[in-house]
Amino acid sequence: MNNYEASIKDPSGQQVALSYDPDNGQPIPKVFVVCDRSDTAPVWGYILRQQGLIVILETSIEKAIDHWSAEMPDLVVIDIDATHEDRMELYRKFREVSVAPLLLFLPTHHETQIIEAYTAGVDEVVVKPISPAIFLAKIMAWVRRSWTMPIDGLSLVKMGSHRLDPARRCMINPDGLEIKLTNLEFRLLLLLMSRPAHVFSVDDVIQSIWGGYGSGDQVLLKNVVYRLRRKIEADPSHPLLLQTGLGGYSFQG
């Protein structure tokens, strides 16, 4: 697949690359694979790249957190030989910095470890061995889940000089620049821009985006807000558009 790159600036002013499919202008999902097995990592990378996905391989557990924070992936796969305690620490650190779905591959079936992994924020646990075909099927299913949102019946949303285009899943800023959005980012903006300047409570936002409540979802919401501000705000550390206040969020475009 041929693609082209654009970029946005993170809070430090550094450029963050974004890749798009030139055929439809949509962002290409990015999969971050943490695998310390030299015989397996290249196989997983090859299989996913054959599907046109952007794949980042990390073989160092110690570097994984910093690396995926910089990459801002849409899906994370962990397949490592480590103790249960080391895995748990990795899950927890990941959930502190990202809202992306997390798939964990375990070498053996251990019910207690599986339950603890789900509790720590893992979205799906897969017990090996697993064939390349099943591996690919699971990854593609999660990519569709992360990037698909029905747009039938949704029309262009305008607020001030900003527009939200459901058909292209992007925000168009006053300069006419299209800012591509992930599914969760789009859902959040669609909600906030539907009632200009209205402050939606955290629970209302969580219910609208995830369909459920819970303290864990508040952490995920904060990460979505953080990532969205990096895309749409001139200065993410002093946001003017997506604001926090009175126990919730509002769009002040």
Side-chain angles (χ1 to χ4, degrees):
M1 172 184 291
N2 295 321
N3 57 74
Y4 63 91
E5 289 192 348
S7 64
I8 59 175
K9 288 185 178 180
D10 66 15
S12 67
Q14 295 181 333
Q15 295 292 327
V16 179
L18 301 172
S19 293
Y20 300 100
D21 185 338
D23 295 330
N24 56 30
Q26 293 298 315
I28 302 171
K30 182 184 295 184
V31 181
F32 191 101
V33 180
V34 185
C35 182
D36 58 0
R37 297 175 57 87
S38 59
D39 58 336
T40 305
V43 176
W44 291 160
Y46 175 79
I47 290 173
L48 298 179
R49 291 189 179 107
Q50 286 295 101
Q51 298 300 310
L53 301 175
I54 298 172
V55 182
I56 297 93
L57 287 176
E58 177 57 75
T59 58
S60 170
I61 300 175
E62 291 73 21
K63 297 179 180 178
I65 295 293
D66 290 338
H67 196 171
W68 72 41
S69 296
E71 293 291 346
M72 297 174 63
D74 303 290
L75 179 67
V76 176
V77 179
I78 296 181
D79 181 10
I80 58 176
D81 286 331
T83 65
H84 176 59
E85 290 71 22
D86 287 341
R87 289 196 188 95
M88 290 294 294
E89 182 66 16
L90 194 60
Y91 315 152
R92 295 190 184 100
K93 287 183 177 179
F94 168 76
R95 273 293 168 245
E96 292 175 358
V97 298
S98 179
V99 70
L102 171 59
L103 277 65
L104 168 67
F105 290 83
L106 289 179
T108 58
H109 185 280
H110 192 294
E111 184 170 323
T112 300
Q113 293 184 9
I114 292 174
I115 293 173
E116 290 181 355
Y118 279 123
T119 302
V122 172
D123 294 279
E124 182 175 1
V125 178
V126 181
V127 178
K128 298 186 292 186
I130 181 172
S131 70
I134 297 298
F135 170 84
L136 178 59
K138 285 187 174 293
I139 297 301
M140 298 308 293
W142 274 101
V143 166
R144 289 193 299 270
R145 182 179 300 183
S146 301
W147 281 78
T148 301
M149 178 179 181
I151 59 173
D152 293 343
L154 297 180
S155 57
L156 192 71
V157 178
K158 296 182 180 180
M159 183 173 176
S161 54
H162 293 81
R163 293 175 291 162
L164 189 64
D165 187 343
R168 296 179 61 82
R169 201 172 63 189
C170 70
M171 168 180 273
I172 304 171
N173 72 10
D175 296 325
L177 177 65
E178 291 187 0
I179 303 170
K180 299 300 180 179
L181 305 169
T182 66
N183 186 42
L184 293 177
E185 292 165 355
F186 176 80
R187 285 179 182 271
L188 177 58
L189 278 182
L190 183 64
L191 175 67
L192 299 184
M193 292 178 69
S194 67
R195 297 181 62 184
H198 174 77
V199 178
F200 289 85
S201 71
V202 169
D203 285 345
D204 286 343
V205 175
I206 291 173
Q207 176 65 28
S208 177
I209 296 178
W210 284 279
Y213 296 91
S215 58
D217 287 332
Q218 294 184 29
V219 177
L220 302 185
L221 175 57
K222 288 181 180 179
N223 278 283
V224 175
V225 171
Y226 169 75
R227 292 178 60 171
L228 188 52
R229 282 173 173 160
R230 291 179 69 175
K231 289 186 177 182
I232 69 174
E233 298 283 0
D235 181 0
S237 61
H238 297 88
L240 298 177
L241 300 176
L242 206 173
Q243 295 193 8
T244 304
L246 300 176
Y249 298 96
S250 65
F251 189 85
Q252 304 285 339

